[in-house]
Amino acid sequence: MGTESFTYMGRSLSQLSINDDSSSSAFSDCNSDRSGEFAAASSSQTRRFLIACATENSDDLIRQLVADLHSSSADEQKQSAMEIRLLAKNKPENRVRIAKAGAIKPLVSLISSPDVQLQEYGVTAILNLSLCDENKEVIASSGAIKPLVRALSSGTATAKENAACALLRLSQAEENKAAIGRSGAIPALVSLLESGGFRGKKDASTALYSLCTVKENKTRAVKAGIMKVLVELMADFESNMVDKSAYVVSVLVAVPEARAALVDEGGVPVLVEIVEVGTQRQKEIAVIILLQVCEDSVAYRTMVAREGAIPPLVALSQSGTNRAKQKAEKLIELLRQPRSGNGAGRTSEVLA
């Protein structure tokens, strides 16, 4: 099956199970950090920063801040990283200036600091710099991936969330996806998806959705126990995570082990319930997942039919979105011929 392209948060990505733009609206943008501002700044430092922000050219301040990143004083490093973070957050044109001034390598070094606050500031500054496409290659080649994964695993709550967002941004360069997966990011993201706060869950699901367009990362995610977490989130209509979790599942079920894990974790009755009572978007993605699960397995078709899927599918085929109607009709045809061979259609047809 060929890889298909789609637009996600203003970037062109590719994946194997969704080929429309509806998935992008299921995810929140990791556009910049949402941390507090200058909690430790002195009044003179704050004034210096605000004056620089008000001018057209902040190059002098940027050069001084990069120099301060090399200071032997942790307090000076923290202050410098905070100011770089805000310069990159609030003025997009500063992101290239900061990178060209040599800030990325010392910021990456801060991410490995045993001082958790310093690590958090380094992670957050790198996140904001990664919003510029020109900086992504430099950040990755400066060795940022492994420190970001460590911060994702053991940093503060804010560091974990911002590390997930930074890894998402780096993963938008296709060549980084496998490297991020090999660095141990997938189990750490699954952990954040399971035990993080609401923002952490959103950031983790968004990063996983991007990373798992690569087959080897799908396998890593299944081995990390992602399907149990996703099924639980899909089953909780109060979590505000049904859509996001379902879209991650839709990417994963392109591989057989993910389909098996979905069934083993009780995903079939959850998906049937979504088809019955979910929103229009949730119903559409649920029927797409069920169609992929059932396509090559008579046993799974029988299981889905026994869960009472046909009546809500019939209703969806009459009142859903155009795409949902099409998929529901295909799935109904499969379920009514549960012992037929594999001639019901290839995966490429399921995803069309």
Side-chain angles (χ1 to χ4, degrees), residues 57-342:
N57 192 335
S58 53
D59 288 346
D60 290 342
L61 173 60
I62 289 171
R63 283 192 290 269
Q64 181 59 54
L65 291 174
V66 172
D68 290 345
L69 288 175
H70 297 279
S71 171
S72 58
S73 165
D75 287 340
E76 286 188 9
Q77 289 179 314
K78 289 177 185 177
Q79 184 64 36
S80 176
M82 283 195 296
E83 296 193 17
I84 286 173
R85 167 176 70 84
L86 286 186
L87 279 171
K89 175 179 180 178
N90 294 326
K91 298 191 74 175
E93 61 270 25
N94 283 334
R95 294 166 190 158
V96 174
R97 292 177 182 172
I98 292 167
K100 287 183 176 179
I104 289 176
K105 285 189 176 181
L107 286 171
V108 169
S109 296
L110 296 189
I111 300 175
S112 299
S113 172
D115 183 323
V116 293
Q117 191 177 45
L118 195 54
Q119 178 192 65
E120 179 184 311
Y121 295 161
V123 168
T124 309
I126 287 292
L127 164 60
N128 290 349
L129 291 173
S130 73
L131 303 181
C132 172
D133 287 341
E134 291 182 47
N135 290 342
K136 290 174 183 175
E137 182 180 351
V138 180
I139 291 171
S141 64
S142 297
I145 291 174
K146 288 185 178 180
L148 284 170
V149 172
R150 286 195 294 270
L152 177 64
S153 301
S154 59
T156 65
T158 298
K160 289 179 179 181
E161 292 164 356
N162 289 341
C165 283
L167 289 168
L168 165 66
R169 291 294 171 177
L170 296 182
S171 77
Q172 290 169 346
E174 194 70 23
E175 62 272 16
N176 290 333
K177 292 185 179 183
I180 292 170
R182 287 193 297 267
S183 296
I186 303 297
L189 287 167
V190 172
S191 178
L192 183 60
L193 181 66
E194 181 176 25
S195 59
F198 181 54
R199 183 194 158 193
K201 291 179 187 295
K202 290 196 300 181
D203 293 343
S205 66
T206 309
L208 286 162
Y209 183 71
S210 175
L211 288 167
C212 288
T213 59
V214 174
K215 184 177 179 180
E216 63 190 81
N217 287 340
K218 299 182 205 292
T219 301
R220 291 187 177 102
V222 173
K223 288 181 178 178
I226 192 173
M227 206 58 76
K228 179 178 184 294
V229 181
L230 292 172
V231 169
E232 290 175 351
L233 290 171
M234 286 193 301
D236 183 2
F237 284 88
E238 302 300 319
S239 70
N240 290 319
M241 288 292 297
V242 175
D243 304 58
K244 299 172 185 64
S245 301
Y247 276 109
V248 178
V249 171
S250 74
V251 174
L252 294 171
V253 293
V255 296
E257 57 265 43
R259 296 194 290 273
L262 175 65
V263 172
D264 290 345
E265 296 296 343
V268 168
V270 171
L271 289 165
V272 171
E273 183 181 13
I274 292 173
V275 172
E276 186 171 6
V277 302
T279 65
Q280 287 296 323
R281 182 169 66 185
Q282 291 167 357
K283 290 179 179 182
E284 179 180 305
I285 190 60
V287 74
I288 289 171
I289 295 168
L290 287 170
L291 189 53
Q292 292 177 82
V293 169
C294 291
E295 185 201 16
D296 295 320
S297 173
V298 171
Y300 291 164
R301 295 177 206 169
T302 302
M303 183 182 300
V304 171
R306 287 177 178 172
E307 285 295 334
I310 291 180
L313 285 170
V314 170
L316 185 61
S317 71
Q318 297 170 349
S319 63
T321 65
N322 288 336
R323 192 170 184 226
K325 290 178 182 178
Q326 178 191 23
K327 303 306 179 185
E329 289 170 358
K330 286 186 178 182
L331 183 52
I332 290 167
E333 182 180 352
L334 277 180
L335 297 181
R336 285 177 171 166
Q337 299 175 350
R339 297 187 181 277
S340 64
N342 290 333

Side-chain angles (χ1 to χ4, degrees), residues 6-75:
F6 68 105
T7 300
Y8 175 59
M9 296 195 303
R11 304 293 197 277
S12 177
L13 295 176
S14 61
Q15 51 90 26
L16 300 176
S17 45
I18 305 293
N19 65 358
D20 67 346
D21 291 337
S22 62
S23 57
S24 63
S25 60
F27 294 97
S28 59
D29 289 354
C30 284
N31 280 333
S32 65
D33 72 275
R34 288 153 278 182
S35 315
E37 315 287 20
F38 288 136
S42 70
S43 58
S44 62
Q45 290 168 323
T46 303
R47 187 163 53 252
R48 178 184 70 167
F49 175 75
L50 292 175
I51 290 171
C53 279
T55 65
E56 289 298 318
N57 192 335
S58 53
D59 288 346
D60 290 342
L61 173 60
I62 289 171
R63 283 192 290 269
Q64 181 59 54
L65 291 174
V66 172
D68 290 345
L69 288 175
H70 297 279
S71 171
S72 58
S73 165
D75 287 340

